[in-house]
Amino acid sequence: MNAPHHDPDYNFAYLDEQTKRMIRRAILKGIAVPGYQVPFASREMPMPYGWGTGGVQVTAACLVPEDRLKVIDQGADDTTNAVSIRRFFQRTAGVEATEKTTEASVIQTRHRIPETPLTEGQILVYQVPIPEPLRFLEPRESETRRMHALADYGLMHVKLYEDIARHGAIATSYAYPVEVEGRYVMDPSPIPKFDNPKLGGNPAIQLFGAGREQRIYALPPYTAVRSLDFEDYPFEPSKANHDCDLCGASGSYLDEVITDDQGSRMFVCSDTDYCETRRNAGHRGRLSPEEAR
Amino acid sequence: MSTHLTGGFTDAPTQSARAFRTVLEALARPGQIGTLAGATPPAPLSPAAGALLLTLADQTTPVYLAPLHDTAEIRGWITFHTGAPFVTPEEAVFALGHWAELPLSRLSAGTAEYPDRAASVIVETDALAPANARLTGPGIATQTTARLPETAFFQSNRSLFPLGLDFYFTCGDQVLGLPRSTRVEAL
Ligand SMILES: [Zn+2]
């Protein structure tokens, strides 16, 4: 292996060994109890909390020098947040970076699951702002912990049902709660509920890190994950009723983009690697340059 | 020079990182065997069990050693390389030994509010094959098989879920994980 070496001014992957051991033990307990939030002692990272310090610490604890790291922010590899996290690990862990989902061994994500199906051997690390799915019902940590201990999720179901009664559908379109292996209710981080079906039965290991709230949780591969719903109101992953204007994809999650000051709009895949891979393979959308000529 | 000074990782940050990935894959994919190299602990501690301790144990994680592993050499090696204190089964974060010697009922299975406070058990075995048990559950696409010392204990451990013990079976430099979430049947 001829991987670039990490910056010798830093310990490998930035964190000291004792901190990584503590995080690694928390990750393993998270794997053993899917969906349960394991407390851990979050460390200061050289970036603000909003930048995914929980995800960064989980990634730091998982990386090996041979990894290829992809970092996405709402599907895009090129935002300031994604670029700085990627550079941070290129420097402190000497890992290679990639924008290709298929080439990445570790993917850190903020608020999306890649469109390209993940495979065995890959790890998806989520940045989580609020790990507690019951927080909106109950602000006290001691109470939510008790509710999880007793699997006392009745109030949460009542709240979701009221939501349906009021809006005709469950209004929550991000961070839509899931039930893991018939036991823990879990917050999947603020991914669009369009992504929820990819949580379950996924061949990759999925790890969730919340820095400010000091929680780590996990979904092992092929875990059974169910988006909460009701017999009369089944779960529906919502999606804009369009195809991608650049690559023509009909099954991907789309961002609406204002293209000029007349308010012209286009819909494009939020997953930039997915869209580019499709365009490189010759797929075209309504506004592709070739068609516009 | 006493042997406990040798046999640790020569480059701890990267060797621990690689060992952790092997352990993570092993626990996340029950029944799948991984290779844990890099540690050469005093016998009868296996290289895989040694690497597990080097990767996960420290001053904050008390260790219980079953009688055949409770030797001055092994204690010295673990103390020198990890700083982990030695305790009774009840207080152990890690328990290590042969199946027949492990006081499983005395180990912590966690609490309803903190199921993560359960012990992890490193079971030294003579063989990880041929398989004698069928495994299903998280981490397993449909079903898989593994060699286990028995099935009844793992069924009662599963019935405690989300409480329960988590296991690493070690043999030479090989490791096989079995979290509390796995359902076990005799083949
Ligand atoms: Zn597209």
Side-chain angles (χ1 to χ4, degrees):
Chain A
M1 265 267 141
N2 208 6
H5 208 273
H6 75 274
D7 186 333
D9 287 348
Y10 297 94
N11 192 32
F12 175 72
Y14 184 81
L15 293 173
D16 63 88
E17 292 306 295
Q18 176 150 2
T19 298
K20 281 188 282 187
R21 271 194 301 274
M22 177 266 297
I23 295 171
R24 287 166 179 162
R25 291 191 298 262
I27 291 171
L28 293 173
K29 288 304 176 192
I31 288 287
V33 191
Y36 164 74
Q37 300 165 53
V38 184
F40 81 109
S42 185
R43 294 290 189 259
E44 290 287 326
M45 297 301 285
M47 55 195 76
Y49 271 124
W51 283 34
T53 55
V56 168
Q57 289 175 82
V58 169
T59 298
C62 287
L63 283 179
V64 297
E66 297 75 27
D67 270 320
R68 270 174 193 268
L69 177 68
K70 172 180 167 78
V71 182
I72 49 172
D73 181 359
Q74 305 209 353
D77 297 84
D78 58 1
T79 71
T80 312
N81 184 326
V83 170
S84 48
I85 291 172
R86 196 162 60 228
R87 286 198 183 136
F88 174 75
F89 283 120
Q90 284 177 285
R91 178 168 180 195
T92 61
V95 293
E96 302 224 26
T98 181
E99 297 192 358
K100 297 247 161 288
T101 298
T102 51
E103 288 177 2
S105 50
V106 176
I107 302 173
Q108 182 172 328
T109 179
R110 176 173 174 271
H111 305 184
R112 272 313 309 277
I113 300 176
E115 304 287 355
T116 307
L118 302 179
T119 56
E120 293 198 1
Q122 290 184 309
I123 300 176
L124 182 60
V125 179
Y126 296 76
Q127 303 175 197
V128 181
I130 302 168
E132 180 48 75
L134 307 176
R135 186 62 71 226
F136 75 100
L137 288 173
E138 173 54 64
R140 285 168 299 176
E141 161 69 17
S142 58
E143 268 305 293
T144 53
R145 187 161 287 282
R146 189 194 60 79
M147 290 158 84
H148 286 296
L150 300 173
D152 177 7
Y153 298 126
L155 257 181
M156 163 144 236
H157 285 94
V158 169
K159 162 73 177 77
L160 288 178
Y161 204 87
E162 283 173 358
D163 215 35
I164 296 174
R166 202 171 304 130
H167 305 282
I170 295 174
T172 313
S173 52
Y174 294 89
Y176 189 100
V178 296
E179 180 193 79
V180 179
E181 288 285 327
R183 180 56 180 82
Y184 286 98
V185 168
M186 185 192 99
D187 182 312
S189 87
I191 57 172
K193 69 178 179 180
F194 172 85
D195 280 341
N196 272 31
K198 300 178 208 157
L199 292 162
N202 198 314
I205 293 173
Q206 299 175 79
L207 304 176
F208 300 77
R212 194 182 44 226
E213 306 261 340
Q214 314 207 71
R215 293 289 182 276
I216 286 170
Y217 49 104
L219 295 173
Y222 310 111
T223 296
V225 178
R226 186 179 73 83
S227 300
L228 295 182
D229 63 356
F230 302 92
E231 252 175 59
D232 40 347
Y233 293 100
F235 171 80
E236 279 172 26
S238 59
K239 174 192 173 297
N241 193 18
H242 297 272
D243 294 345
C244 173
D245 284 327
L246 294 180
C247 78
S250 60
S252 70
Y253 190 74
L254 304 174
D255 287 336
E256 191 176 353
V257 181
I258 309 291
T259 52
D260 60 30
D261 44 15
Q262 272 75 55
S264 303
R265 300 180 304 176
M266 66 189 291
F267 290 91
V268 296
C269 295
S270 115
D271 183 333
T272 51
D273 166 56
Y274 179 76
C275 197
E276 192 180 310
T277 303
R278 280 181 53 85
R279 278 179 275 141
N280 289 344
H283 294 282
R284 294 292 175 261
R286 186 178 64 95
L287 299 175
S288 297
E290 285 80 350
E291 272 67 14
R293 245 182 260 142
Chain B
M1 189 159 88
S2 153
T3 55
H4 65 247
L5 299 179
T6 61
F9 288 151
T10 49
D11 178 15
T14 55
Q15 285 180 290
S16 309
R18 293 190 186 102
F20 172 69
R21 277 290 274 280
T22 301
V23 174
L24 172 62
E25 288 287 338
L27 198 68
R29 302 177 197 279
Q32 190 169 297
I33 293 169
T35 301
L36 272 178
T40 47
L45 190 56
S46 68
L52 259 166
L53 291 172
L54 294 180
T55 304
L56 298 174
D58 57 30
Q59 307 89 296
T60 68
T61 61
V63 171
Y64 167 77
L65 296 175
L68 280 174
H69 283 79
D70 194 358
T71 68
E73 283 214 314
I74 289 178
R75 279 191 175 228
W77 191 82
I78 293 174
T79 301
F80 180 77
H81 292 286
T82 75
F86 299 102
V87 292
T88 61
E90 289 79 3
E91 300 169 286
V93 169
F94 292 101
L96 169 73
H98 293 290
W99 183 253
E101 286 198 315
L102 285 163
L104 298 167
S105 63
R106 295 172 61 192
L107 298 172
S108 171
T111 67
E113 259 133 33
Y114 294 95
D116 54 302
R117 294 181 184 170
S120 299
V121 189
I122 303 169
V123 185
E124 298 264 46
T125 62
D126 297 331
L128 295 175
N132 58 5
R134 178 183 295 111
L135 315 182
T136 55
I140 303 163
T142 52
Q143 60 174 49
T144 188
T145 59
R147 179 164 193 84
L148 300 179
E150 60 169 289
T151 51
F153 176 83
F154 300 101
Q155 291 166 348
S156 66
N157 190 52
R158 179 64 182 77
S159 71
L160 302 174
F161 189 88
L163 278 59
L165 302 173
D166 305 311
F167 292 89
Y168 301 97
F169 295 93
T170 50
C171 178
D173 64 358
Q174 297 197 307
V175 63
L176 181 149
L178 193 81
R180 67 191 84 174
S181 60
T182 303
R183 293 174 194 85
V184 174
E185 297 167 84
L187 264 185

